[in-house]
Amino acid sequence: MRKQTIQYTSPLDALVAVAKRLSLYENHQKIDSEEFFNQYNCGLLSDDILFIEWANDYRHYLALHQELAQRLNDAA
């Protein structure tokens, strides 16, 4: 299966899109992304493609969140 690459005009747009995807995972799996990620990193969950994609989206979310927080801090 080939992945589609989406480019966003700003980190904020990307953060919103990733947050929406995380919300879908959370609603479907009945666990929040932070708790899921902790369990996944501890090896308590399988390497199912859904979990791999969720973990990657959560890593992306954390990176975007950090980038935006840094930009806000620099602007202040």
Side-chain angles (χ1 to χ4, degrees):
M1 180 166 76
R2 187 171 177 188
K3 286 284 206 176
Q4 180 180 359
T5 301
I6 300 171
Q7 290 189 323
Y8 297 97
T9 57
S10 74
L12 183 56
D13 290 340
L15 183 70
V16 169
V18 172
K20 286 180 182 179
R21 285 196 306 273
L22 292 176
S23 179
L24 293 173
Y25 292 125
E26 292 170 349
N27 289 333
H28 186 260
Q29 297 295 322
K30 307 294 188 231
I31 184 173
D32 68 47
S33 291
E34 184 177 8
E35 179 61 28
F36 153 77
F37 195 69
N38 289 335
Q39 290 181 20
Y40 183 79
N41 278 339
C42 288
L44 301 174
L45 300 172
S46 71
D47 286 333
D48 183 88
I49 189 66
L50 174 79
F51 293 155
I52 293 169
E53 290 176 354
W54 189 358
N56 286 337
D57 278 345
Y58 189 67
R59 285 184 191 100
H60 190 200
Y61 169 84
L62 292 174
L64 288 165
H65 189 273
Q66 182 178 3
E67 177 185 349
L68 288 170
Q70 185 61 48
R71 285 185 181 195
L72 287 171
N73 191 35
D74 291 348

